[in-house]
Amino acid sequence: MAGGLIGKGTANGKQYPGKLTFRVFVTCMVAAFGGLIFGYDLGISGGVTSMDPFLKKFFPDVYAKEMNMKPSDNQYCRFDSQVLTLFTSSLYLAALVASLCASSITRIFGRRLTMLSGGILFLAGAGFNAFAQKVWMLIVGRMLLGFGIGCANQSVPIYVSEVAPYKYRGALNTMFQLAITIGIFVANVLNFFFAKMKNGEGWRYSLGFAAVPAVMIIIGAIFLPDSPSSLIERGKDEKAKQELIKIRGTSDVDEEFKDLVEASESSMAVKHPWATLLKRHYRPQLVMAIAIPFFQQLTGMNVITFYAPVLFRTIGFGSNASLMSSMITGGFNALATFVSIFTVDKVGRRKLFLEGGAQMFICQIVITAAIASKFGVDGNPGMLPIWYAFFVVGFICIYVMGFAWSWGPLGWLVPSEIFPLEVRSAAQSINVSVNMIFTFAIAQVFTSMLCHMKFGLFIFFACFVLVMSGFIYKFLPETKGVPIEEMSVVWQNHSYWKKFVKSASEEANAKVDNSC
């Protein structure tokens, strides 16, 4: 098989003792609060930008265009405004910068401090946005939120992968994505109710409530223990062993501890992790750090997440109806993530990736046909029947579910578990940076793409879903049940990547040959 499976069990036959303790479950759950701040922001921005009082105050040109639009006008271009999309997308440029800086903080000071920094920055951003009077205050607030998200997304997946027992690493890491989906759903619910406030200030409450998940991650980061890998990396071996005993629920941790120490020694020998990551030996990890977040953003899911209310209003829903529809899709998104939690460590990453890709592709084709049949190329749908609204929302929900149990959680899980310790922080920064670059790009150009590509926009994303599914089938090995410090064997046994990654015995033989 192209996936290059290593068979049942673990790499090199190692099966570290340990169980899913209450301590490690709570630790991973608290760490996953970092996903709440990301999810809340993803969900809140689209709803706020569809609120008339918000548009009237900060984007009067868009509001005037909205008010003067007739049913016969081109609905595809209803919200085409680069200034409006900058409000949404500016956050992700800031997150890109923060994720790169967070690499050094995570490596030198540990994962907890990066999480704490992220929570504080996000709290400051929430305050700026809630009390904004001018557009520049909104943008500054969004940038502070971005710095917080960059720190959290860089540190949380690494932390959870290091703390979780290898048998349950997939499920526990997926809690980060679950937190994202819960944040999205809560944001959608709050948008729906705050939009009804008579004083027109509901958007302030929507933006200001971002302080709640920020405080949660701040408190959580204060009380979380450092991961054993992070403690060893900073020379605290004895404390690391005691922490490993606590999170594994057994004193029989010598083999795992020994492997962690060896990995740390290899890591300490690497003075320039960014340059090291470019070496041929790390080619598989570098490719995955770039390709997986790139494809994750081009599934089209963030279009639904960012602009669900805007999209629903574009295809004929009223303001309240569009917020209700996005709330429904957000609920399906959160519920479907549980499927991944309960199956990812049983059926594996590859099968979920491929099944989700097929499901999303079919739904995108159906949605394209539905929009094309009513809106055509001139964007004039006439009167839309109720059954049409239910049909479109239904297939969007099925599409969202496919993403929620595949590319959503796995896009964070797989990169965080495949990087060796010596390049882990740098590689995760690249992973987050690529994610943020394309999140920014999609957020910035979506309304313009919808205006010019019309229903063809969904064909655009469907084509990428086909390409990325082929990429997973050909190049991604199965990583379930493999200890994180033994992951190199996966690449050595892969039909394609083995030519880049040599085993320890091959490297030893090469040194002997060179000395002769």
Side-chain angles (χ1 to χ4, degrees), residues 328-469:
I328 292 171
T329 57
F332 275 96
N333 189 16
L335 290 175
T337 306
F338 283 100
V339 175
S340 185
I341 290 176
F342 292 117
T343 60
V344 67
D345 289 314
K346 296 178 181 178
V347 304
R349 285 63 160 154
R350 280 169 49 83
K351 288 183 180 179
L352 284 179
F353 263 131
L354 295 173
E355 189 283 331
Q359 184 171 332
M360 287 188 291
F361 176 77
I362 293 170
C363 288
Q364 283 166 328
I365 297 301
V366 173
I367 293 169
T368 299
I371 295 177
S373 66
K374 289 293 182 180
F375 287 78
V377 294
D378 60 0
N380 180 10
M383 293 297 294
L384 291 172
I386 295 177
W387 67 263
Y388 177 84
F390 280 107
F391 182 83
V392 172
V393 172
F395 269 91
I396 287 179
C397 286
I398 297 171
Y399 162 83
V400 165
M401 291 167 64
F403 178 88
W405 60 53
S406 63
W407 279 86
L410 299 180
W412 294 106
L413 165 62
V414 173
S416 72
E417 69 182 358
I418 62 174
F419 305 139
L421 184 61
E422 61 267 25
V423 296
R424 189 169 297 158
S425 293
Q428 180 65 6
S429 288
I430 290 177
N431 176 49
V432 175
S433 298
V434 173
N435 191 298
M436 293 302 134
I437 287 171
F438 286 96
T439 302
F440 165 78
I442 294 298
Q444 185 63 30
V445 304
F446 163 68
T447 55
S448 181
M449 290 176 70
L450 181 61
C451 179
H452 293 91
M453 297 178 68
K454 303 175 174 57
F455 58 83
L457 177 64
F458 295 94
I459 294 292
F460 172 82
F461 290 121
C463 290
F464 272 103
V465 170
L466 272 184
V467 173
M468 70 193 198
S469 297

Side-chain angles (χ1 to χ4, degrees), residues 6 8-16 166 255 483 486 489:
I6 63 171
K8 189 176 181 180
T10 65
N12 292 342
K14 292 187 178 181
Q15 298 190 20
Y16 301 137
Y166 69 88
E255 185 177 21
E486 298 294 318
V489 177

Side-chain angles (χ1 to χ4, degrees), residues 103 107 270-278 422-427:
S103 171
R107 181 181 172 98
V270 175
K271 302 301 181 183
H272 305 287
W274 293 97
T276 301
L277 188 57
L278 297 176
E422 61 267 25
V423 296
R424 189 169 297 158
S425 293

